[in-house]
Short mmCIF file of all heavy atoms in Angstrom, two decimals:
data_model
loop_
_atom_site.label_atom_id
_atom_site.label_comp_id
_atom_site.label_asym_id
_atom_site.label_seq_id
_atom_site.Cartn_x
_atom_site.Cartn_y
_atom_site.Cartn_z
N ALA A 487 -7.19 -17.57 -17.67
CA ALA A 487 -6.38 -16.46 -17.17
C ALA A 487 -4.93 -16.85 -16.90
O ALA A 487 -4.01 -16.01 -17.01
CB ALA A 487 -7.00 -15.91 -15.89
N LEU A 488 -4.70 -18.11 -16.53
CA LEU A 488 -3.36 -18.54 -16.10
C LEU A 488 -2.25 -18.22 -17.10
O LEU A 488 -1.20 -17.69 -16.70
CB LEU A 488 -3.39 -20.03 -15.76
CG LEU A 488 -2.07 -20.64 -15.26
CD1 LEU A 488 -1.61 -19.93 -13.99
CD2 LEU A 488 -2.24 -22.14 -15.01
N PRO A 489 -2.42 -18.50 -18.41
CA PRO A 489 -1.32 -18.20 -19.34
C PRO A 489 -0.94 -16.72 -19.38
O PRO A 489 0.23 -16.37 -19.57
CB PRO A 489 -1.87 -18.66 -20.69
CG PRO A 489 -2.94 -19.65 -20.36
CD PRO A 489 -3.53 -19.18 -19.09
N PHE A 490 -1.91 -15.84 -19.21
CA PHE A 490 -1.62 -14.40 -19.22
C PHE A 490 -0.75 -14.01 -18.02
O PHE A 490 0.10 -13.13 -18.12
CB PHE A 490 -2.92 -13.59 -19.21
CG PHE A 490 -3.69 -13.69 -20.49
CD1 PHE A 490 -4.61 -14.71 -20.70
CD2 PHE A 490 -3.48 -12.77 -21.52
CE1 PHE A 490 -5.32 -14.82 -21.88
CE2 PHE A 490 -4.19 -12.86 -22.71
CZ PHE A 490 -5.10 -13.89 -22.89
N ILE A 491 -0.98 -14.67 -16.90
CA ILE A 491 -0.16 -14.42 -15.70
C ILE A 491 1.22 -15.02 -15.91
O ILE A 491 2.25 -14.37 -15.64
CB ILE A 491 -0.83 -15.01 -14.45
CG1 ILE A 491 -2.23 -14.41 -14.23
CG2 ILE A 491 0.06 -14.81 -13.23
CD1 ILE A 491 -2.24 -12.95 -13.87
N GLU A 492 1.27 -16.25 -16.39
CA GLU A 492 2.56 -16.94 -16.56
C GLU A 492 3.45 -16.21 -17.56
O GLU A 492 4.67 -16.12 -17.37
CB GLU A 492 2.31 -18.38 -17.01
CG GLU A 492 1.70 -19.25 -15.93
CD GLU A 492 1.40 -20.66 -16.42
OE1 GLU A 492 1.05 -20.83 -17.62
OE2 GLU A 492 1.49 -21.60 -15.62
N ARG A 493 2.86 -15.69 -18.63
CA ARG A 493 3.65 -14.98 -19.65
C ARG A 493 3.98 -13.55 -19.25
O ARG A 493 4.73 -12.87 -19.95
CB ARG A 493 2.89 -14.96 -20.99
CG ARG A 493 2.70 -16.31 -21.63
CD ARG A 493 2.23 -16.17 -23.07
NE ARG A 493 0.95 -15.50 -23.19
CZ ARG A 493 -0.22 -16.12 -23.31
NH1 ARG A 493 -0.27 -17.44 -23.31
NH2 ARG A 493 -1.36 -15.43 -23.42
N GLY A 494 3.42 -13.10 -18.16
CA GLY A 494 3.69 -11.73 -17.71
C GLY A 494 2.92 -10.68 -18.48
O GLY A 494 3.27 -9.49 -18.42
N GLU A 495 1.88 -11.08 -19.23
CA GLU A 495 1.07 -10.08 -19.93
C GLU A 495 0.31 -9.21 -18.94
O GLU A 495 -0.03 -8.07 -19.23
CB GLU A 495 0.13 -10.77 -20.92
CG GLU A 495 0.88 -11.39 -22.09
CD GLU A 495 -0.05 -12.03 -23.10
OE1 GLU A 495 -1.06 -11.39 -23.47
OE2 GLU A 495 0.23 -13.19 -23.50
N ILE A 496 0.01 -9.78 -17.79
CA ILE A 496 -0.37 -8.98 -16.62
C ILE A 496 0.83 -9.04 -15.70
O ILE A 496 1.11 -10.06 -15.08
CB ILE A 496 -1.63 -9.53 -15.91
CG1 ILE A 496 -2.82 -9.55 -16.86
CG2 ILE A 496 -1.94 -8.70 -14.67
CD1 ILE A 496 -4.08 -10.16 -16.26
N GLY A 497 1.58 -7.95 -15.67
CA GLY A 497 2.80 -7.92 -14.86
C GLY A 497 2.50 -7.54 -13.43
O GLY A 497 1.46 -6.96 -13.11
N TYR A 498 3.40 -7.90 -12.55
CA TYR A 498 3.26 -7.55 -11.14
C TYR A 498 4.54 -6.86 -10.66
O TYR A 498 5.65 -7.24 -11.04
CB TYR A 498 3.06 -8.81 -10.29
CG TYR A 498 1.66 -9.36 -10.27
CD1 TYR A 498 1.13 -10.01 -11.38
CD2 TYR A 498 0.85 -9.25 -9.14
CE1 TYR A 498 -0.16 -10.53 -11.37
CE2 TYR A 498 -0.44 -9.78 -9.11
CZ TYR A 498 -0.93 -10.42 -10.23
OH TYR A 498 -2.20 -10.94 -10.21
N THR A 499 4.36 -5.85 -9.83
CA THR A 499 5.48 -5.21 -9.14
C THR A 499 5.17 -5.23 -7.65
O THR A 499 4.18 -4.62 -7.25
CB THR A 499 5.68 -3.76 -9.61
OG1 THR A 499 5.92 -3.73 -11.02
CG2 THR A 499 6.83 -3.11 -8.88
N PRO A 500 5.93 -5.99 -6.84
CA PRO A 500 7.05 -6.87 -7.17
C PRO A 500 6.59 -8.15 -7.88
O PRO A 500 5.46 -8.59 -7.69
CB PRO A 500 7.65 -7.21 -5.80
CG PRO A 500 7.08 -6.23 -4.84
CD PRO A 500 5.74 -5.85 -5.38
N ASP A 501 7.50 -8.73 -8.65
CA ASP A 501 7.15 -9.85 -9.52
C ASP A 501 6.77 -11.10 -8.74
O ASP A 501 6.05 -11.96 -9.26
CB ASP A 501 8.31 -10.17 -10.46
CG ASP A 501 7.94 -11.24 -11.48
OD1 ASP A 501 7.04 -10.99 -12.30
OD2 ASP A 501 8.53 -12.35 -11.42
N ARG A 502 7.24 -11.24 -7.50
CA ARG A 502 6.93 -12.46 -6.75
C ARG A 502 5.43 -12.68 -6.60
O ARG A 502 4.97 -13.83 -6.51
CB ARG A 502 7.60 -12.45 -5.37
CG ARG A 502 7.11 -11.38 -4.43
CD ARG A 502 7.85 -11.49 -3.08
NE ARG A 502 7.44 -10.48 -2.13
CZ ARG A 502 7.93 -9.24 -2.09
NH1 ARG A 502 8.88 -8.88 -2.96
NH2 ARG A 502 7.52 -8.38 -1.17
N PHE A 503 4.66 -11.60 -6.60
CA PHE A 503 3.21 -11.76 -6.46
C PHE A 503 2.60 -12.38 -7.72
O PHE A 503 1.52 -12.96 -7.65
CB PHE A 503 2.57 -10.41 -6.15
CG PHE A 503 2.89 -9.92 -4.75
CD1 PHE A 503 3.77 -8.86 -4.56
CD2 PHE A 503 2.33 -10.53 -3.65
CE1 PHE A 503 4.06 -8.42 -3.28
CE2 PHE A 503 2.63 -10.10 -2.37
CZ PHE A 503 3.49 -9.03 -2.18
N ARG A 504 3.26 -12.26 -8.85
CA ARG A 504 2.79 -12.93 -10.07
C ARG A 504 2.93 -14.45 -9.90
O ARG A 504 2.04 -15.20 -10.33
CB ARG A 504 3.59 -12.45 -11.28
CG ARG A 504 3.12 -13.03 -12.60
CD ARG A 504 3.97 -12.51 -13.76
NE ARG A 504 5.36 -12.87 -13.62
CZ ARG A 504 5.87 -14.04 -14.00
NH1 ARG A 504 5.09 -14.96 -14.56
NH2 ARG A 504 7.15 -14.28 -13.85
N ILE A 505 4.01 -14.88 -9.28
CA ILE A 505 4.22 -16.31 -9.04
C ILE A 505 3.13 -16.84 -8.10
O ILE A 505 2.56 -17.91 -8.33
CB ILE A 505 5.62 -16.55 -8.42
CG1 ILE A 505 6.71 -15.86 -9.25
CG2 ILE A 505 5.88 -18.04 -8.28
CD1 ILE A 505 6.77 -16.29 -10.69
N TYR A 506 2.84 -16.07 -7.03
CA TYR A 506 1.78 -16.49 -6.10
C TYR A 506 0.44 -16.56 -6.83
O TYR A 506 -0.37 -17.47 -6.57
CB TYR A 506 1.66 -15.50 -4.94
CG TYR A 506 2.93 -15.27 -4.14
CD1 TYR A 506 3.10 -14.10 -3.41
CD2 TYR A 506 3.95 -16.22 -4.11
CE1 TYR A 506 4.24 -13.86 -2.67
CE2 TYR A 506 5.11 -15.98 -3.38
CZ TYR A 506 5.26 -14.80 -2.66
OH TYR A 506 6.40 -14.56 -1.94
N ALA A 507 0.19 -15.60 -7.72
CA ALA A 507 -1.08 -15.55 -8.44
C ALA A 507 -1.27 -16.80 -9.29
O ALA A 507 -2.35 -17.41 -9.32
CB ALA A 507 -1.15 -14.29 -9.31
N ALA A 508 -0.22 -17.17 -10.00
CA ALA A 508 -0.30 -18.36 -10.86
C ALA A 508 -0.58 -19.61 -10.03
O ALA A 508 -1.40 -20.47 -10.41
CB ALA A 508 1.00 -18.52 -11.65
N GLU A 509 0.06 -19.71 -8.88
CA GLU A 509 -0.15 -20.87 -8.02
C GLU A 509 -1.59 -20.92 -7.51
O GLU A 509 -2.21 -21.99 -7.46
CB GLU A 509 0.83 -20.80 -6.84
CG GLU A 509 0.84 -22.04 -5.96
CD GLU A 509 1.27 -23.30 -6.69
OE1 GLU A 509 1.97 -23.20 -7.73
OE2 GLU A 509 0.90 -24.40 -6.23
N TRP A 510 -2.15 -19.77 -7.17
CA TRP A 510 -3.53 -19.72 -6.68
C TRP A 510 -4.50 -20.15 -7.78
O TRP A 510 -5.45 -20.89 -7.51
CB TRP A 510 -3.86 -18.32 -6.18
CG TRP A 510 -5.16 -18.22 -5.47
CD1 TRP A 510 -5.43 -18.57 -4.17
CD2 TRP A 510 -6.40 -17.73 -6.01
NE1 TRP A 510 -6.76 -18.33 -3.88
CE2 TRP A 510 -7.37 -17.81 -4.99
CE3 TRP A 510 -6.78 -17.22 -7.25
CZ2 TRP A 510 -8.70 -17.40 -5.17
CZ3 TRP A 510 -8.11 -16.81 -7.44
CH2 TRP A 510 -9.05 -16.91 -6.40
N LEU A 511 -4.25 -19.71 -8.99
CA LEU A 511 -5.12 -20.09 -10.10
C LEU A 511 -5.06 -21.59 -10.37
O LEU A 511 -6.07 -22.21 -10.71
CB LEU A 511 -4.73 -19.31 -11.36
CG LEU A 511 -5.10 -17.83 -11.39
CD1 LEU A 511 -4.49 -17.16 -12.61
CD2 LEU A 511 -6.61 -17.64 -11.38
N ARG A 512 -3.89 -22.17 -10.23
CA ARG A 512 -3.76 -23.62 -10.47
C ARG A 512 -4.55 -24.44 -9.43
O ARG A 512 -4.93 -25.58 -9.70
CB ARG A 512 -2.29 -24.03 -10.43
CG ARG A 512 -1.45 -23.47 -11.56
CD ARG A 512 -0.05 -24.06 -11.58
NE ARG A 512 0.82 -23.28 -12.46
CZ ARG A 512 1.72 -22.41 -12.04
NH1 ARG A 512 1.92 -22.22 -10.74
NH2 ARG A 512 2.46 -21.74 -12.90
N ASN A 513 -4.76 -23.88 -8.26
CA ASN A 513 -5.42 -24.61 -7.19
C ASN A 513 -6.77 -23.98 -6.81
O ASN A 513 -7.22 -24.10 -5.68
CB ASN A 513 -4.52 -24.64 -5.95
CG ASN A 513 -3.23 -25.39 -6.20
OD1 ASN A 513 -3.22 -26.62 -6.21
ND2 ASN A 513 -2.14 -24.67 -6.44
N ILE A 514 -7.40 -23.33 -7.78
CA ILE A 514 -8.62 -22.58 -7.49
C ILE A 514 -9.76 -23.50 -7.07
O ILE A 514 -9.84 -24.66 -7.50
CB ILE A 514 -9.02 -21.72 -8.72
CG1 ILE A 514 -9.93 -20.57 -8.29
CG2 ILE A 514 -9.66 -22.59 -9.79
CD1 ILE A 514 -10.02 -19.46 -9.29
#
Side-chain angles (χ1 to χ4, degrees):
L488 181 59
F490 290 88
I491 301 293
E492 290 177 327
R493 294 193 299 263
E495 291 182 47
I496 300 177
Y498 280 72
T499 301
D501 185 63
R502 64 180 179 276
F503 290 107
R504 183 180 61 83
I505 309 302
Y506 304 157
E509 187 62 23
W510 189 79
L511 287 173
R512 293 187 194 103
N513 297 282
I514 201 162

